[in-house]
Amino acid sequence: MKTSDQTDGSTPALTDRQAILRILRLWHRQAPRLIIGAMLALIALCLGLVLMQASGLRLASSVLGEVVITTALLRWIGGGRVILRYAERLFAHDAMFRALADLRVWFFHSLAQGAAAGLGFRRAGDMLSRLVSDIGTLDGLYLRILVPFACACLTLPILVIQLGRQSVVLGVLVGVLFACSAFLVPYLIAKSGRAEGERLGKNLAALRIGVLDLVGGLREIRAFGAEGRILSHVQADDAALLAGQMRLARRAAYANASAFLCGQAAIFLVLLAAAGALSLHISALAAVGILFLTVAAFESAGALTRAGLQAGVMGAAARRVVEVAVSTPNATQIAAQTDAPEDTHIHLEGVKFRWAPDRPLVFDGLTLDIPAGARVAILGPSGVGKSSLAALLLKAAVPEAGSITLGGEEISHIKADSLRRRMAWLSQATHLFDDSIRANLLLGRPDATEDDLWKALEDAAVADVVKTLPDGLDTWLGEGGIKLSGGQGRRIALARTLLTQAPILILDEPATGLDAQTEQDFLRTLNTVTEGRTVILIAHRLTGVETLDRIWRLSGGVATAAAA
Amino acid sequence: MSGDKAAIRGWTRTQSRLGRQAARPVVVFGLLSSLLGVGQAWCVATVLGHALVGLVSGGGAPTLVLWPILAFAGLALLRALIMALSDTAAAKAGIDARRRLRGEVLASILTGGPALLRKTHSGELATIAVDRVEALDGFFGRWVPASVLWIAAPLLILLPVGFIQPRAALVLGLCGASVPFGQALFGIGAAVASRKQFLAMTRLQARFLDRVKGIATIVLAGRADDETERLGQAAEELRLRTMKILRVAFLSSASIDCAMVIALVLVAIMDGKQAMALLSGGTASPALAYTLTSGLFVLLVIPEFFAPLRGLALAYQDRAHAQGAATAILDLPEALPRPSPDGARTVNASGVMVSLEDVCFTWDPARGPALDHVSFTVPAGETLILAGPSGSGKSTIMELLLGFIQPDSGSVRFNGAPLDSIVPDSLSRMISWIGQKPVLFAGTLKDNILFARPDADEADLMAAVKAAAVDQFLPSLPDGLETRIGEGGFGLSGGQAQRIAIARAYLKNAPILLLDEPTAHLDPATEKSVFESLQRLALRRTVVLATHSAAVHMFNGRRVDLQMGRVVARQGAA
């Protein structure tokens, strides 16, 4: 997956169909399995059709005193049908899980290549968890849509040929009815359900926001005695969502009924033919076989109506996943080939930057000089662009103008991986993984020894806490590190940052959320353990305990030196 | 753990009972639909039987029998209607149940109040109220009716079959009866398999979500390639474990297939033999016609007979969703109407004296008391500053004063009246509160300020806007007071959000003002200007200000220093 076809900054809007095709293309590695799975489904389906037909024929043919279908044959078909159906389901599910695994890895990989770095500087957690559920939704693409569709495509000619051998008119009529039931009705419901589906998505989002407000604002609500008001507000959102779902359900019910009626009409025609009406005369024996075949065929088409209902949801999910994964970062990447130099002198000259073309400039001619091994603080009120500076240094964002150099080398020429290995970043947004403490630390340096880990914990002044935990380093941290207090969690993150051997540490508001005492302890720790490394401390204020070589104040898009 | 399981089972049982009442139309329509299917099968069998007998009796063109064909069409139309009604009724049952459950969950959350947020993450609570409840649709719409229909419908079908061909009814009955055994056998097997795999599966699934959430950290640490590879391994493991469960689980639906195939084959062979025997007697006898028709009828009815059993197998996972939701919902406190104490009273609202008398409070016995015999008094219209490091008990005092929690011993008094004797509505009318980060609701700026008093008129609103200095940043917003803020809207800075909280407090105009570290997240310059606004707001009100800011000297009043839940110093006459 190379993004060479996406070099221009603006991603063209994808249609659902393109997105689904894109995902199907991703699955090419699993194509043989997916195809075999579908084939097995087809054979199982055929055997099902044959079984019904054979049972009917067996009974009917006895009238003529001859055994067209032997008992053994019937048993074989029946047994084969059960075994194949089992094998098909197992194989198809296995193929689907493989394909989904590929999809997840691809999604993660392309996210990591593209927009991911920038996500750390924007609030994107909710969007991401929604995407994860979108990927889950794509489960159904193969099993619920593609396989039934392939089956219907095969059933149609079988049906038409079998019937056409007896009566061409009957074959064509039943074929048309089958096409209506298997293709037209699902298509129509997919098309008409789309707008409603989109509205449902919006309603669900509105409900989610309302509930989040209610939960997050519990204190405000209680303090202002607003329980009744807020509850009725959320219930109105809920009612809108449920009413939309009801409309969709009603439409689905009609679609199901129409698909059912198509099948019934086909049986009606076969019956007329069997009775010799309408000059569609066919032999009575053939009529029995055909009738059973028709019943079984239309039953298998029923699954496609449900597929039609899900097609809209599936398309939207596919579109969101593909859009995020293939979107390029907000500026073009110049082919960067150089490794980061040894020297860690950082220099910014006349940097202009904004997050998006329609947003105001964050930096307008920013100039900064940070010698190797210096300890500097960059201060400014919230919203002045302090985090943008970290994003620029880490190449998570690219300036419009000006130059940023590391050891005299333009960072745009340095490989992002190599650059990021020279700079360790710690911020409020640094994520603690739902994993053991050990695994969290090893993210900083995978080859660290047990002693290195304890040293880092010691330096971050959290070793004592970890020692008291029953499982020590193997303690499971829980989602977002919730098993520890906020301060302890920050210290684990600090230990991870210290564990990296990066010569430059970028600490972006590292003490947010800590109380004054803990914050001072934390910053004192930093003074002692970061010796010999460049430390860039980004904060809205200083507590007075930091030892610093230089202090810059950001305002109006430029930095001015303040007293150290 | 066993108590939990019993509670979950109890919850599922209660919900099933409630669901069954709502699903009654679905069940009735389902049974009707089965009956109509039986009728249709009879019509089809009659037509075919007639044609076949005509074939035997002499090769002449069979006489046209029209009535069963027309009856078939009529029944088909009726059945389509019934099916549509049944689908709609099922959707309605699911929707009604979700409306009820969501209402209950929200009421529980509101009852639990802010104390709930100490135990559970707000995102988790929102997930329960939205997604967990949403996932229950299938439980009420599909599982509950299917759990009745899978016994009732086959039994109902068995009646006419038994009447027409007792032998076939016996075969069908036996095959049908074997299904629950197969289901139970493989169902238990699948349950055992999934119990073994469940924890590992959950962890693997959570791992993907967690890694995606933390992707920026991974990329900026230069570990993207390693993690991609590990994620691939985890996905592979997830597949292997899931397949282990499915291998057993699919056997249960294979057992239905098997039973159906056996029934089909047996009936076809049995009736075929009988027809041959009758035929050897010579020409077409009425007995032959009857055997043919009834044989065809039974063959056609067999899929009808097994359809409800399949429906149950398909809906089985909907039940698993319900159990997942039960665990989450049972953790919520029971929704209670807020207790209105005996002799509930109001307190004269102009000028309120606030006092704590020997108050103790413990959040978690393992961590010791949060407040240890704390007493102080704030006379009406004066200011008390609560100082002390984080964790010293400042926030606990605030929550006590707000009535979110009750003291373990001692009492909180307003004008001498114990807090628990005051009507909750009257209490909330007396107090304005500003926390560290005000919550801005999705809506316009104006809605957010009017939240304090929805019936305030334009003049009051504008006065509050001016007094809180909200008007200073209005010009920078795209639509002024009508700018949409909160989730999905325009982002406000911490200082701006705090000014909206101040405007709310102005609008509410309550005699007591509680300020819980209102400037904790602000830079010094913003802090100073917010404190200035708060100073104006504090005039003539009884104020309790918790803070560890250095700028607190801007307020003069009494001061209480807390440490580890005890009062360690007092200044002024506190």
Side-chain angles (χ1 to χ4, degrees):
Chain A
M1 219 296 301
K2 296 275 169 279
T3 46
S4 53
D5 52 335
Q6 298 281 345
T7 35
D8 59 340
S10 63
T11 320
L14 280 164
T15 64
D16 291 0
R17 194 169 310 154
Q18 283 170 324
I20 287 183
L21 285 177
R22 182 68 190 258
I23 284 175
L24 291 182
R25 233 179 301 144
L26 272 175
W27 286 351
H28 72 269
R29 212 161 68 90
Q30 305 300 345
R33 285 173 189 282
L34 292 171
I35 290 169
I36 293 175
M39 294 298 289
L40 281 174
L42 290 176
I43 301 173
L45 172 79
C46 287
L47 273 182
L49 298 181
V50 170
L51 178 69
M52 272 314 263
Q53 201 180 10
S55 317
L57 277 178
R58 158 89 188 184
L59 179 57
S61 63
S62 61
V63 179
L64 303 173
E66 53 191 79
V67 178
V68 179
I69 307 284
T70 64
T71 310
L73 182 62
L74 210 51
R75 276 198 206 125
W76 276 111
I77 298 172
R81 146 107 184 142
V82 172
I83 292 168
L84 260 176
R85 179 118 178 81
Y86 178 73
E88 170 252 310
R89 296 183 72 185
L90 215 54
F91 198 91
H93 276 83
D94 185 66
M96 182 207 68
F97 281 122
R98 284 172 196 269
L100 273 186
D102 281 3
L103 183 64
R104 288 180 171 207
V105 171
W106 168 80
F107 178 71
F108 185 81
H109 183 74
S110 12
L111 207 56
Q113 296 296 309
L119 291 180
F121 300 92
R122 277 171 268 161
R123 255 185 277 153
D126 292 344
M127 181 198 77
L128 285 174
S129 44
R130 231 169 291 155
L131 280 171
V132 172
S133 74
D134 280 340
I135 290 187
T137 307
L138 291 173
D139 278 19
L141 181 58
Y142 173 67
L143 287 177
R144 303 222 181 90
I145 297 188
L146 293 180
V147 171
F149 183 75
C151 287
C153 287
L154 185 79
T155 310
L156 180 60
I158 293 180
L159 196 63
V160 172
I161 291 169
Q162 289 267 3
L163 268 67
R165 283 203 334 230
Q166 300 298 325
S167 153
V168 177
V169 182
L170 188 64
V172 171
L173 282 178
V174 172
V176 168
L177 282 170
F178 184 83
C180 277
S181 164
F183 306 123
L184 186 65
V185 171
Y187 175 75
L188 289 179
I189 183 82
K191 213 174 154 189
S192 79
R194 244 185 87 140
E196 188 68 52
E198 226 151 83
R199 205 169 325 138
L200 270 188
K202 271 192 203 125
N203 285 342
L204 186 64
L207 174 68
R208 188 167 281 138
I209 289 173
V211 171
L212 270 173
D213 271 356
L214 180 145
V215 175
L218 274 175
R219 287 192 179 82
E220 268 84 355
I221 291 167
R222 184 64 72 82
F224 287 103
E227 280 93 345
R229 270 189 280 146
I230 206 95
L231 190 63
S232 65
H233 183 78
V234 172
Q235 276 169 344
D237 284 340
D238 191 32
L241 174 71
L242 295 179
Q245 287 175 337
M246 195 64 217
R247 275 197 297 277
L248 205 60
R250 219 169 268 139
R251 205 170 291 169
Y254 295 145
N256 260 332
S258 338
F260 172 77
L261 278 179
C262 286
Q264 298 295 297
I267 297 171
F268 181 69
L269 285 176
V270 175
L271 283 181
L272 280 179
L278 299 180
S279 73
L280 288 173
H281 188 72
I282 53 173
S283 89
L285 196 57
V288 174
I290 284 176
L291 186 105
F292 278 83
L293 181 71
T294 312
V295 169
F298 276 86
E299 217 175 65
S300 74
L304 276 164
T305 318
R306 286 189 291 280
L309 272 175
Q310 288 173 330
V313 181
M314 210 79 76
R319 195 185 57 221
R320 280 193 292 264
V321 167
V322 172
E323 264 174 8
V324 168
V326 302
S327 68
T328 43
N330 54 0
T332 42
Q333 299 271 9
I334 300 164
Q337 291 308 331
T338 330
D339 279 324
E342 279 302 304
D343 184 14
T344 54
H345 182 122
I346 297 170
H347 187 78
L348 285 84
E349 186 68 54
V351 169
K352 269 192 181 179
F353 173 72
R354 59 180 116 201
W355 280 104
D358 55 343
R359 300 277 294 275
L361 277 173
V362 178
F363 298 129
D364 189 6
L366 175 73
T367 300
L368 270 181
D369 189 72
I370 305 168
R375 310 171 62 83
V376 303
I378 294 165
L379 305 179
S382 30
V384 81
K386 300 190 302 291
S387 294
S388 309
L389 181 63
L392 286 174
L393 288 176
L394 286 157
K395 271 180 76 164
V398 181
E400 281 180 10
S403 82
I404 306 173
T405 59
L406 174 70
E409 186 79 50
E410 275 289 335
I411 64 165
S412 58
H413 297 308
I414 302 175
K415 282 188 230 160
D417 274 4
S418 173
L419 178 77
R420 287 170 193 160
R421 232 165 278 147
R422 313 286 288 157
M423 298 184 188
W425 170 70
L426 174 69
S427 85
Q428 183 67 24
T430 301
H431 189 82
L432 281 178
F433 291 94
D434 186 8
D435 211 326
S436 64
I437 292 179
R438 184 191 303 277
N440 265 290
L441 291 177
L442 287 179
L443 192 75
R445 176 149 52 108
D447 57 349
T449 63
E450 188 90 6
D451 289 343
D452 294 337
L453 297 184
W454 282 112
K455 169 94 175 41
L457 289 172
E458 205 81 58
D459 287 346
V462 72
D464 291 342
V465 178
V466 177
K467 270 181 200 142
T468 60
L469 296 172
D471 295 327
L473 278 174
D474 293 310
T475 305
W476 205 265
L477 270 185
E479 193 189 339
I482 49 170
K483 297 267 169 70
L484 296 177
S485 78
Q488 290 162 349
R490 309 291 314 135
R491 280 157 182 276
I492 299 276
L494 175 66
R496 177 166 71 197
T497 312
L498 295 176
L499 195 63
T500 64
Q501 285 159 319
I504 303 167
L505 300 181
I506 303 172
L507 309 173
D508 185 357
E509 305 269 7
T512 316
L514 304 186
D515 65 73
Q517 191 56 48
T518 321
E519 180 183 9
Q520 293 201 356
D521 291 348
F522 183 89
L523 292 168
R524 272 200 201 93
T525 324
L526 276 184
N527 289 338
T528 55
V529 299
T530 55
E531 245 155 77
R533 304 197 199 186
T534 305
V535 176
I536 304 172
L537 179 68
I538 300 175
H540 64 244
R541 62 188 163 90
L542 292 176
T543 60
V545 300
E546 303 89 347
T547 344
L548 296 163
D549 299 324
R550 209 175 289 186
I551 299 171
W552 303 86
R553 219 169 261 291
L554 284 181
S555 68
V558 294
T560 43
Chain B
M1 200 56 203
S2 63
D4 281 359
K5 264 188 202 153
I8 291 171
R9 217 173 298 139
W11 185 87
T12 319
R13 210 173 295 143
T14 316
Q15 294 302 328
S16 297
R17 205 183 51 237
L18 288 169
R20 266 200 290 280
Q21 283 164 12
R24 214 168 278 155
V26 187
V27 172
V28 171
F29 288 134
L31 290 176
L32 270 179
S33 168
S34 289
L35 273 185
L36 289 174
V38 171
Q40 285 189 299
W42 182 250
C43 294
V44 173
T46 308
V47 175
L48 291 181
H50 193 83
L52 282 168
V53 172
L55 196 68
V56 182
S57 59
T63 44
L64 188 65
V65 275
L66 217 49
W67 71 262
I69 302 184
L70 292 179
F72 172 85
L75 289 176
L77 285 174
L78 197 55
R79 196 174 183 200
L81 180 70
I82 296 278
M83 278 168 66
L85 286 174
S86 165
D87 284 358
T88 322
K92 190 169 177 305
I95 283 170
D96 288 346
R98 275 180 290 145
R99 180 179 296 126
R100 174 175 57 81
L101 275 175
R102 191 163 286 142
E104 283 174 18
V105 168
L106 291 173
S108 295
I109 291 174
L110 286 173
T111 305
L116 206 56
L117 290 177
R118 289 219 167 218
K119 286 188 294 183
T120 324
H121 192 263
S122 63
E124 221 165 284
L125 290 173
T127 308
I128 295 174
V130 179
D131 303 292
R132 288 284 195 176
V133 171
E134 206 60 10
L136 284 174
D137 187 33
F139 180 78
F140 293 101
R142 284 188 295 270
W143 165 261
V144 171
S147 69
V148 179
L149 277 175
W150 80 283
I151 297 182
L155 282 179
L156 190 66
I157 292 175
L158 221 47
L159 284 179
V161 174
F163 183 70
I164 289 164
Q165 220 185 54
R167 253 177 334 142
L170 191 66
V171 171
L172 260 188
L174 284 177
C175 287
S178 72
V179 168
F181 288 108
Q183 294 283 67
L185 191 66
F186 299 122
I188 291 168
V192 171
S194 58
R195 213 171 303 137
K196 278 191 201 148
Q197 310 292 347
F198 188 72
L199 187 67
M201 274 176 51
T202 327
R203 273 195 178 176
L204 287 169
Q205 264 159 352
R207 184 188 175 100
F208 177 65
L209 177 63
D210 188 47
R211 290 304 192 268
V212 170
K213 275 187 184 162
I215 194 166
T217 302
I218 290 171
V219 171
L220 294 176
R223 298 251 81 84
D225 290 344
D226 295 359
E227 280 300 323
T228 310
E229 197 178 306
R230 258 188 259 167
L231 201 66
Q233 287 164 3
E236 176 69 9
E237 204 188 325
L238 181 65
R239 175 183 71 81
L240 288 174
R241 287 180 184 275
T242 317
M243 288 314 292
K244 269 187 196 154
I245 299 175
L246 289 184
R247 223 168 282 157
V248 188
F250 287 161
L251 280 179
S252 89
S253 57
S255 73
I256 300 181
D257 277 352
C258 204
M260 180 168 136
V261 166
I262 291 173
L264 264 177
V265 172
L266 278 181
V267 169
I269 293 172
M270 250 168 26
D271 284 345
K273 270 194 189 136
Q274 202 190 5
M276 295 261 276
L278 285 170
L279 191 67
S280 62
T283 54
S285 58
L288 176 65
Y290 183 76
T291 305
L292 266 182
T293 307
S294 62
L296 287 170
F297 165 71
V298 175
L299 281 187
L300 284 165
V301 154
I302 286 176
E304 262 346 304
F305 179 85
F306 283 96
L309 295 171
R310 274 199 198 173
L312 185 78
L314 283 179
Y316 203 78
Q317 66 182 22
D318 291 321
R319 194 167 165 260
H321 282 308
Q323 279 170 339
T327 326
I329 291 174
L330 282 170
D331 279 346
L332 294 175
E334 219 165 307
L336 296 170
R338 280 219 266 155
S340 76
D342 295 338
R345 53 193 289 190
T346 56
V347 171
N348 181 10
S350 59
V352 179
M353 178 181 76
V354 173
S355 59
L356 257 67
E357 283 175 17
D358 208 25
V359 166
C360 295
F361 185 84
T362 306
W363 286 104
D364 173 6
R367 283 187 302 170
L371 292 180
D372 195 0
H373 300 281
V374 172
S375 306
F376 61 74
T377 303
V378 198
E382 293 202 22
T383 297
L384 173 81
I385 293 154
L386 285 175
S390 125
S392 59
K394 301 192 298 290
S395 296
T396 309
I397 290 178
M398 286 296 172
E399 302 214 346
L400 280 168
L401 291 172
L402 282 160
F404 294 170
I405 51 177
Q406 273 73 46
D408 297 339
S409 67
S411 66
V412 180
R413 288 169 187 271
F414 287 176
N415 276 356
L419 185 114
D420 52 10
S421 74
I422 301 172
V423 188
D425 281 353
S426 141
L427 180 66
S428 79
R429 231 174 292 134
M430 279 196 304
I431 299 178
S432 278
W433 166 80
I434 297 177
Q436 298 188 0
K437 275 188 183 167
V439 170
L440 300 178
F441 298 98
T444 63
L445 189 62
K446 190 172 159 187
D447 294 340
N448 266 284
I449 297 173
L450 284 177
F451 177 77
R453 186 149 64 89
D455 55 350
D457 60 22
E458 193 67 19
D460 288 348
L461 174 69
M462 291 324 290
V465 164
K466 205 165 152 46
V470 170
D471 54 348
Q472 285 177 9
F473 65 87
L474 275 186
S476 70
L477 301 179
D479 300 316
L481 272 178
E482 299 297 333
T483 306
R484 294 195 69 82
I485 54 174
E487 175 82 30
F490 197 85
L492 294 184
S493 75
Q496 292 169 338
Q498 211 52 284
R499 294 198 176 282
I500 291 177
I502 296 171
R504 281 178 184 164
Y506 267 111
L507 203 57
K508 190 169 178 187
N509 197 17
I512 303 174
L513 180 60
L514 303 178
L515 304 169
D516 189 4
E517 308 205 31
T519 58
H521 296 276
L522 304 179
D523 56 76
T526 318
E527 175 176 51
K528 184 157 175 289
S529 74
V530 166
F531 265 145
E532 279 164 6
S533 297
L534 286 175
Q535 266 178 321
R536 284 196 302 277
L537 178 62
L539 282 180
R540 289 187 302 280
R541 294 176 215 272
T542 312
V543 179
V544 179
L545 166 64
T547 185
H548 54 237
S549 162
V552 71
H553 60 79
M554 291 171 68
F555 283 82
N556 38 33
R558 302 150 183 246
R559 179 182 165 114
V560 167
D561 279 83
L562 289 168
Q563 203 151 26
M564 309 282 284
R566 286 168 206 240
V567 177
V568 290
R570 291 173 197 269
Q571 281 170 28

